[in-house]
Amino acid sequence: MARSRALLDLSTRLMNVCLAALCRGGSLDRAEAVLVDAIRLGLPPDVVTYNTLLAAHCRAAGLDAGLAVVHRMREAGVSPDAVTYNSLIAGAARRGLTMCALDLFDEMLRSGVAPDSWSYNALMHCLFRSGHPEDAYRVFADMVEKGVAPSATTYNTMLDGLFRAGHATNAYRMFRYLQRVGLPIGIVTYNTMINGLCRSGKVGYARMVLKELGRTEHAPNAITYTTIMKCCFRYARFDQGLETFLSLLEGGYISDAFPYTTVISALVKKGRMQEANAYCELMIQSGSTLDNACYNTLIHLRCQEGKLDDAFELLKIMEEGGLESDEYTFSILVNGLCKMGQIKAAEKQIWSMEMMGMESNVVAYNCLIDALCKSHEVDAAIKVLHSMKLKDDFTYTSLVHGLCKVGRYHMASKFLRICLREGNNVLASAKRAVISGLRSAGFKNDLRKVRSALYMARLLRS
DNA sequence: GTAGGGTTAG
């Protein structure tokens, strides 16, 4: 009896290994079929079986698919454990469903399943990414208080979160602290640091950390180089960025679409469409799964080439492939339509976006405002601006420039002051346009008000 | 199961 029990356990373990391999390879259907066969043969699935399937479903189809697996496991008399909840929380985090993640964590506590460091990590990650650093810090404190030891992932998540919250200096200090006390530092830590330092404008520090990485036993990977590439493009080191890409390509180190999308969009921005097209071909041929970012990059290229029909054809292919257009897709299309002078169509695109219940898309609106200003329809642009829930530096820069171009300096100065009062800013060229316009028109009072508003804004920022 | 990619102003 004991012997057959042990044999059954072994078989379940083998089945789990098999399921995990199928899930990893993306053959979810075959994994499900294996489970059906196993049950028919009298082989009982355990919590690991269901957790494996759950993680795969969650990743492929989202949180609801994961919850459906929980339902199935309960029906089979298997109780969810910490890994089950961790996968669900991670699934919620991936799709930015912060409230769901918090609810799942609560449910975990209520059902008496003790959270481990993974649970806390996933929750912290989710809170940082959704812009709630204070809550993330609280989760960390809670974790320490409960006696759950922070792992390497916890520290990496914290470093990334500090950068995202705008605390680059604190992140840097924490990194040095981890090194000093001998806490685990690996390639993920280095990549997080290099990316965070680059994005917060501390390129010198980024270079220093990169050099340090070269002296460790940790090998830089494709993620390290993609980060460096992006940093080069950002700081006008185009050739160096392209070289980085080429060395990745020639070395055969590219295993997904990330480096392609990075280099293609940089090329499109430079107007080097032939090379962009060549790398699109390579990306498609490479056999990497094309996700939203890839399609958006391809659509953007077509739009910038003025091939709107091709762009919409790509959109159709993307949607038929089961991908949903997102905020990037819409901004890219609205921008493309605007640049081709099809402002009415762009407005319609924004309408359909609103109908779909998409979050207010600042970028798409900004493109429309810019296009209206460029065709001297500033009053229409102002009307659009008033309908926007969220405005940013781009919104006001376009409008202020547009108003100056048609000589409406009083109105331009009014919007410049509103903008500064809201804590936004405009490009220096827009400020100069307002000031020189007011001066030439002799609007002394407006000039005084704008100067004082600019001075106040500078004080508040420093 | 923590790190990298995609959109807008001059």
Side-chain angles (χ1 to χ4, degrees), chain A residues 334 338 343-344 346-351 353-354 360-375 377-392 394-396 398-399 415 422:
Chain A
V334 167
C338 284
I343 295 187
K344 283 275 164 290
E347 282 171 338
K348 254 169 93 179
Q349 198 64 232
I350 286 187
W351 256 100
M353 194 174 70
E354 294 277 336
S360 133
N361 189 332
V362 204
V363 180
Y365 276 99
N366 286 345
C367 294
L368 180 59
I369 287 189
D370 191 57
L372 287 167
C373 286
K374 289 215 165 89
S375 55
E377 298 180 53
V378 280
D379 290 307
I382 290 169
K383 229 168 125 187
V384 173
L385 183 135
H386 284 311
S387 75
M388 290 170 71
K389 284 191 210 79
L390 222 100
K391 305 153 191 94
D392 64 11
F394 287 80
T395 326
Y396 286 108
S398 292
L399 184 65
F415 276 106
E422 288 172 356

Side-chain angles (χ1 to χ4, degrees), chain A residues 207-276:
Chain A
R207 193 171 285 137
M208 185 165 72
V209 173
L210 179 64
K211 271 193 190 149
E212 278 174 35
L213 168 61
R215 290 195 290 269
T216 67
E217 81 272 34
H218 307 290
N221 57 19
I223 296 180
T224 321
Y225 290 113
T226 308
T227 307
I228 293 167
M229 237 169 85
K230 179 81 190 76
C231 190
C232 290
F233 292 139
R234 202 185 151 117
Y235 294 102
R237 307 282 288 263
F238 187 87
D239 293 329
Q240 203 181 344
L242 194 57
E243 251 171 57
T244 309
F245 174 76
L246 289 172
S247 60
L248 272 179
L249 190 63
E250 282 154 18
Y253 303 122
I254 299 182
S255 60
D256 58 26
F258 279 67
Y260 288 110
T261 51
T262 312
V263 79
I264 293 165
S265 42
L267 286 163
V268 171
K269 202 165 278 167
K270 280 244 159 198
R272 290 162 66 160
M273 302 310 194
Q274 281 200 340
E275 289 154 278

Side-chain angles (χ1 to χ4, degrees), chain A residues 85 101 121 129 141 246 261 282 295 329 331 364 372 408 411 428 434:
Chain A
Y85 281 105
N121 293 344
R129 292 268 167 151
L246 289 172
T261 51
L282 273 186
Y295 275 102
T329 325
S331 321
L372 287 167
R408 291 171 63 176
M411 194 59 117
V434 176

